[in-house]
Amino acid sequence: MNIILLGAPGAGKGTQATKISEKYRLPHISTGDIFRDNIKRQTPVGLLAKSYTDNGKLVPDEVTCEIVKGRLEADDCKNGYLLDGFPRNLFQAETLESFSKADAVLNIDVDLSLLMARLCGRRVCKDCGESYHVDFLGGKTVCERCGGELYQRKDDNEETVGNRLKVYSEQTAPLIAYYSERNVLLNIDGVGAIDEVFARIVAALK
Ligand code: ADP
Ligand code: AMP
């Protein structure tokens, strides 16, 4: 099964992706994680991506689409994949469609007014990428899954989050209509406990 996770920054895509990927045995492919890994390793892609991710802008489509196309050709995607954070505009959606079709597009719906607090309080594991929120960490500084150190992403600050939400509204939100027209859209209420949201996803995928 080929699944796309759609939703604004902070809607809970990464959080749900961990669970979906485990239950349905699909590789979790996050373009944001791919860019952060390249930035850390200072690869040519990382050097190019850094100025865009730091400002909450989209990395150019040619680079992003090339990376995703290459990744989806890997052996572990033969039985499906879970895309998180791609596509993010119409060009990317059309490019993806030229080499792979989505079976289900999960649109995790959260009111934009809730996202600033979710993102500015997010802490991420530097080893496995798991997301947490300071409000629920009770002072813990390491990852529950792997023991890795938690850090705050450089783009999880008020100014950059503002830019990211604007980019989402202008460029990514139109994909809801795009996938609805293709009859693959599943709307998921993303407000509620993490396990409740996951149960909604499992029910929608049946
Ligand atoms: P995305 O991948 O869509 O940007 P994340 O999964 O990283 O979003 O979640 C963003 C923040 O919101 C994190 O701090 C995460 O712990 C928190 N979060 C995720 N799901 C929920 C939820 N159902 N309710 C409240 N907070 C959540
Ligand atoms: P995310 O981890 O999904 O919040 O993405 C972090 C940042 O990576 C974004 O703000 C963009 O700068 C970049 N990025 C991630 N996915 C894409 C994409 N599909 N197209 C362009 N830029 C992306």
Side-chain angles (χ1 to χ4, degrees), residues 31-32 35-36 52-53 57-59 64 85-86 88 92 153 155 164:
T31 40
F35 288 131
R36 280 184 290 281
Y52 296 95
T53 59
K57 295 192 178 138
L58 295 186
V59 177
T64 308
F86 183 95
R88 255 176 156 97
Q92 293 182 4
R153 271 171 51 174
D155 58 347
R164 289 157 66 200

Short mmCIF file of all heavy atoms in Angstrom, two decimals, residues 31-32 35-36 52-53 57-59 64 85-86 88 92 153 155 164, ligand 2:
data_model
loop_
_atom_site.label_atom_id
_atom_site.label_comp_id
_atom_site.label_asym_id
_atom_site.label_seq_id
_atom_site.Cartn_x
_atom_site.Cartn_y
_atom_site.Cartn_z
N THR A 31 10.75 13.59 3.94
CA THR A 31 11.71 14.45 3.22
C THR A 31 12.39 15.40 4.20
O THR A 31 13.57 15.71 4.04
CB THR A 31 11.01 15.21 2.07
OG1 THR A 31 9.74 15.66 2.51
CG2 THR A 31 10.86 14.34 0.86
N GLY A 32 11.69 15.84 5.23
CA GLY A 32 12.31 16.71 6.23
C GLY A 32 13.47 15.99 6.92
O GLY A 32 14.56 16.55 7.09
N PHE A 35 16.41 15.79 4.56
CA PHE A 35 17.16 17.06 4.48
C PHE A 35 17.98 17.29 5.74
O PHE A 35 19.15 17.67 5.66
CB PHE A 35 16.23 18.25 4.21
CG PHE A 35 15.68 18.26 2.81
CD1 PHE A 35 14.32 18.43 2.56
CD2 PHE A 35 16.53 18.10 1.72
CE1 PHE A 35 13.82 18.42 1.27
CE2 PHE A 35 16.04 18.09 0.41
CZ PHE A 35 14.68 18.25 0.20
N ARG A 36 17.39 17.03 6.92
CA ARG A 36 18.15 17.24 8.17
C ARG A 36 19.37 16.33 8.24
O ARG A 36 20.45 16.76 8.67
CB ARG A 36 17.23 17.03 9.39
CG ARG A 36 16.34 18.26 9.68
CD ARG A 36 15.52 18.08 10.94
NE ARG A 36 14.48 17.09 10.78
CZ ARG A 36 13.31 17.29 10.17
NH1 ARG A 36 13.02 18.48 9.67
NH2 ARG A 36 12.40 16.32 10.05
N TYR A 52 17.00 27.05 2.98
CA TYR A 52 15.54 26.94 2.83
C TYR A 52 14.91 26.44 4.13
O TYR A 52 13.95 27.03 4.62
CB TYR A 52 15.19 25.99 1.67
CG TYR A 52 15.66 26.50 0.34
CD1 TYR A 52 16.87 26.09 -0.20
CD2 TYR A 52 14.89 27.42 -0.38
CE1 TYR A 52 17.31 26.56 -1.42
CE2 TYR A 52 15.33 27.91 -1.61
CZ TYR A 52 16.54 27.48 -2.12
OH TYR A 52 16.97 27.97 -3.32
N THR A 53 15.45 25.35 4.68
CA THR A 53 14.83 24.79 5.89
C THR A 53 14.94 25.78 7.06
O THR A 53 14.00 25.93 7.84
CB THR A 53 15.45 23.43 6.29
OG1 THR A 53 16.83 23.60 6.51
CG2 THR A 53 15.24 22.39 5.23
N LYS A 57 11.20 27.76 4.13
CA LYS A 57 10.78 27.75 2.71
C LYS A 57 10.95 26.35 2.14
O LYS A 57 11.71 25.55 2.69
CB LYS A 57 11.67 28.71 1.92
CG LYS A 57 11.48 30.15 2.33
CD LYS A 57 12.16 31.04 1.33
CE LYS A 57 11.94 32.49 1.68
NZ LYS A 57 13.14 33.28 1.49
N LEU A 58 10.30 26.10 1.02
CA LEU A 58 10.44 24.78 0.40
C LEU A 58 11.77 24.69 -0.34
O LEU A 58 12.15 25.61 -1.08
CB LEU A 58 9.29 24.52 -0.59
CG LEU A 58 7.89 24.42 0.01
CD1 LEU A 58 6.89 24.01 -1.07
CD2 LEU A 58 7.83 23.44 1.18
N VAL A 59 12.45 23.57 -0.16
CA VAL A 59 13.65 23.28 -0.94
C VAL A 59 13.20 23.14 -2.40
O VAL A 59 12.10 22.63 -2.65
CB VAL A 59 14.30 21.97 -0.41
CG1 VAL A 59 15.52 21.58 -1.23
CG2 VAL A 59 14.67 22.12 1.07
N THR A 64 14.15 18.07 -4.58
CA THR A 64 13.28 17.27 -3.71
C THR A 64 12.69 16.08 -4.47
O THR A 64 12.71 14.94 -3.98
CB THR A 64 12.15 18.16 -3.15
OG1 THR A 64 12.75 19.32 -2.58
CG2 THR A 64 11.36 17.46 -2.09
N GLY A 85 5.47 14.42 4.45
CA GLY A 85 6.06 15.73 4.09
C GLY A 85 6.32 15.89 2.61
O GLY A 85 6.90 16.88 2.19
N PHE A 86 5.90 14.95 1.82
CA PHE A 86 6.00 15.02 0.36
C PHE A 86 4.78 14.33 -0.22
O PHE A 86 4.44 13.25 0.25
CB PHE A 86 7.27 14.31 -0.14
CG PHE A 86 7.45 14.41 -1.64
CD1 PHE A 86 8.23 15.41 -2.20
CD2 PHE A 86 6.82 13.50 -2.49
CE1 PHE A 86 8.38 15.52 -3.58
CE2 PHE A 86 6.96 13.61 -3.86
CZ PHE A 86 7.75 14.60 -4.41
N ARG A 88 4.43 18.53 -1.33
CA ARG A 88 4.06 19.74 -0.60
C ARG A 88 3.54 20.84 -1.50
O ARG A 88 3.23 21.93 -1.02
CB ARG A 88 5.29 20.26 0.14
CG ARG A 88 5.27 20.00 1.66
CD ARG A 88 6.57 20.49 2.20
NE ARG A 88 6.60 20.85 3.58
CZ ARG A 88 7.02 20.05 4.55
NH1 ARG A 88 7.32 18.81 4.30
NH2 ARG A 88 7.10 20.52 5.77
N GLN A 92 5.01 18.97 -7.16
CA GLN A 92 5.53 17.73 -6.56
C GLN A 92 4.50 16.60 -6.67
O GLN A 92 4.85 15.45 -6.93
CB GLN A 92 5.90 17.96 -5.09
CG GLN A 92 7.09 18.89 -4.89
CD GLN A 92 7.48 19.07 -3.43
OE1 GLN A 92 6.93 18.44 -2.54
NE2 GLN A 92 8.45 19.95 -3.19
N ARG A 153 14.37 21.48 17.25
CA ARG A 153 14.74 21.79 15.87
C ARG A 153 14.93 23.29 15.68
O ARG A 153 14.20 24.09 16.25
CB ARG A 153 13.64 21.29 14.93
CG ARG A 153 13.85 19.87 14.47
CD ARG A 153 12.66 19.30 13.74
NE ARG A 153 12.17 20.14 12.64
CZ ARG A 153 11.22 19.78 11.80
NH1 ARG A 153 10.64 18.59 11.92
NH2 ARG A 153 10.81 20.58 10.84
N ASP A 155 14.23 25.09 13.22
CA ASP A 155 13.09 25.77 12.56
C ASP A 155 11.83 25.78 13.43
O ASP A 155 10.80 26.29 13.01
CB ASP A 155 12.81 25.18 11.18
CG ASP A 155 12.51 23.69 11.19
OD1 ASP A 155 12.74 23.02 12.23
OD2 ASP A 155 12.04 23.17 10.16
N ARG A 164 6.40 28.74 7.86
CA ARG A 164 6.04 27.38 7.43
C ARG A 164 4.52 27.23 7.31
O ARG A 164 4.02 26.57 6.40
CB ARG A 164 6.61 26.35 8.42
CG ARG A 164 8.13 26.24 8.29
CD ARG A 164 8.78 25.70 9.54
NE ARG A 164 8.42 24.33 9.83
CZ ARG A 164 8.54 23.77 11.02
NH1 ARG A 164 9.00 24.46 12.05
NH2 ARG A 164 8.18 22.52 11.20
P1 AMP B 2 9.37 18.87 7.97
O1 AMP B 2 10.35 18.00 8.70
O2 AMP B 2 8.39 18.10 7.14
O3 AMP B 2 8.70 19.87 8.89
O4 AMP B 2 10.23 19.73 6.93
C1 AMP B 2 11.24 20.61 7.36
C2 AMP B 2 11.71 21.47 6.20
O5 AMP B 2 12.31 20.65 5.18
C3 AMP B 2 10.62 22.27 5.47
O6 AMP B 2 10.30 23.49 6.12
C4 AMP B 2 11.27 22.49 4.10
O7 AMP B 2 12.26 23.53 4.16
C5 AMP B 2 12.01 21.15 3.88
N1 AMP B 2 11.15 20.18 3.18
C6 AMP B 2 10.63 19.04 3.69
N2 AMP B 2 9.88 18.40 2.78
C7 AMP B 2 9.90 19.17 1.66
C8 AMP B 2 9.30 19.07 0.37
N3 AMP B 2 8.48 18.05 0.03
N4 AMP B 2 9.56 20.05 -0.53
C9 AMP B 2 10.37 21.07 -0.23
N5 AMP B 2 10.94 21.26 0.98
C10 AMP B 2 10.72 20.30 1.91
#
